[in-house]
Amino acid sequence: STNLYLYACAPLLRLTGYSTAGVKLISLLPGVAAPPLLFLLARRVLPAWPAALAAALLAVSHWHVTLSRWGLDEVLLTAMAVAAVALLYDRPEHGKAKALLLAGVIVGLAQYTYLAARLLAVASLAVLVLRLAWLRQRRQLDELAAFCAAFLVAAMPLLAYWFTHPEVFAVRVGELSIVGRALGGEPTLLLHNVRDYALMFFTRGDLNPRHNVPGQPMLDPLTALLFAAGIVVAALQWRRPGPQL
C-alpha cells in the first residue's frame, strides 16, 4: 500500500485503537458506502426501482461483503470507482465541469489504493476521448482537459515517484502476469486464464477462503443472469454514453 493510503488509515486506527475491529473498519466503511454510490450511478441511466435493486444486490453480495471485512485497499478502490463513473456520466445541467474535475481528483487519488486503479484511469480517459472523437464539440475538449488536469494534480506525487523509480511501477504486475509465459511458449495459458476468469462468475469461483466460500461462484444465479444480460445490452448499445461507462 502507498504511504498516502496508510496516512488515510491512521486517523481511523487512532480513534478505534490498533485492533481487529479498527483494521476491519478500514474496508468496512467504503464497503458500506459502495451500495448508495451505486444507486446514484444507476440513477443516471435507470429509473429508481432498478437502481435500488442494483444497490441492494451489491449490499447482499457475498463477494462484496466478504472482501469488505478484511481491511483490504481494493474495497476503497471499488467505492471510488463507482463515484468516479457516476461523475463522468453527470448531466450537463448538474455542472459538468465541476463533475469532471471531481472525477479526475477521485481517479487520481484512487491510484494510491490498489493497482487496478490504473485500469480505472485508462477506462475513464478512453470514454472522454471517444466522446470527443464522436461529438467533436468544444465542451468535450474542455471536459477532457478538466479531468486530466485534476487527475494529474491528485496523482502527481505518485506519478513523480514512479518516474524516478520506474523499477517499482510494475513489480506486482510482474509477480502476477502470465503474459510473459504465454508469449514464451505457453500460448494456451492465456486462453485457459480467460476461460477460468469468465467461469468464475457463473460456475466455479475463487478457492481462497479469505476471498470466497471455496469454489462457490462469485455471483448468485440471479445476479449472474443480470450481469450477463447487462454485458450483452451494453455491447449492442456501445455507442451510447451509458453502455460505454
Side-chain angles (χ1 to χ4, degrees):
S1 297
T2 64
N3 284 342
L4 184 61
Y5 178 76
L6 297 177
Y7 293 155
C9 296
L12 180 60
L13 292 176
R14 183 64 179 268
L15 290 173
T16 61
Y18 293 89
S19 61
T20 300
V23 172
K24 288 181 178 293
L25 277 175
I26 292 172
S27 59
L28 177 61
L29 294 178
V32 171
L37 287 172
L38 180 60
F39 174 80
L40 295 177
L41 168 58
R43 282 293 287 130
R44 300 290 195 270
V45 292
L46 297 172
W49 74 264
L53 176 61
L57 288 173
L58 179 61
V60 299
S61 165
H62 74 86
W63 194 4
H64 180 70
V65 171
T66 299
L67 289 180
S68 63
R69 302 304 188 272
W70 279 96
L72 301 173
D73 51 8
E74 294 94 326
V75 184
L76 178 57
L77 170 58
T78 301
M80 297 178 77
V82 174
V85 173
L87 289 165
L88 286 172
Y89 194 73
D90 209 0
R91 299 181 182 89
E93 62 268 22
H94 291 170
K96 189 70 174 182
K98 293 180 180 178
L100 266 295
L101 284 171
L102 185 54
V105 170
I106 292 175
V107 176
L109 292 178
Q111 304 308 306
Y112 298 91
T113 61
Y114 190 56
L115 57 83
R118 300 171 190 177
L119 297 178
L120 173 63
V122 171
S124 301
L125 185 61
V127 167
L128 294 174
V129 170
L130 285 174
R131 284 184 189 172
L132 176 62
W134 288 336
L135 299 177
R136 298 182 181 180
Q137 296 177 359
R138 175 60 185 270
R139 180 165 61 85
Q140 274 67 46
L141 182 59
D142 292 342
E143 292 174 0
L144 177 60
F147 175 86
C148 290
F151 171 82
L152 289 174
V153 169
M156 185 56 69
L158 188 58
L159 296 176
Y161 181 79
W162 285 338
F163 182 78
T164 55
H165 300 79
E167 70 280 1
V168 305
F169 177 77
V171 170
R172 184 57 174 164
V173 175
E175 293 174 348
L176 300 177
S177 177
I178 63 169
V179 174
R181 292 169 57 191
L183 296 177
E186 300 180 65
T188 59
L189 182 62
L190 185 59
L191 295 176
H192 291 163
N193 200 53
V194 172
R195 178 202 62 191
D196 291 343
Y197 271 91
L199 294 177
M200 171 187 76
F201 296 104
F202 308 106
T203 60
R204 187 170 185 266
D206 199 337
L207 298 177
N208 188 338
R210 189 183 71 171
H211 302 157
N212 186 38
V213 177
Q216 180 174 319
M218 306 310 291
L219 301 178
D220 61 84
L222 173 60
T223 309
L225 178 62
L226 294 173
F227 173 71
I231 292 293
V232 173
V233 171
L236 293 175
Q237 301 180 5
W238 65 276
R239 286 184 176 273
R240 298 176 57 189
Q244 287 175 15
L245 292 175

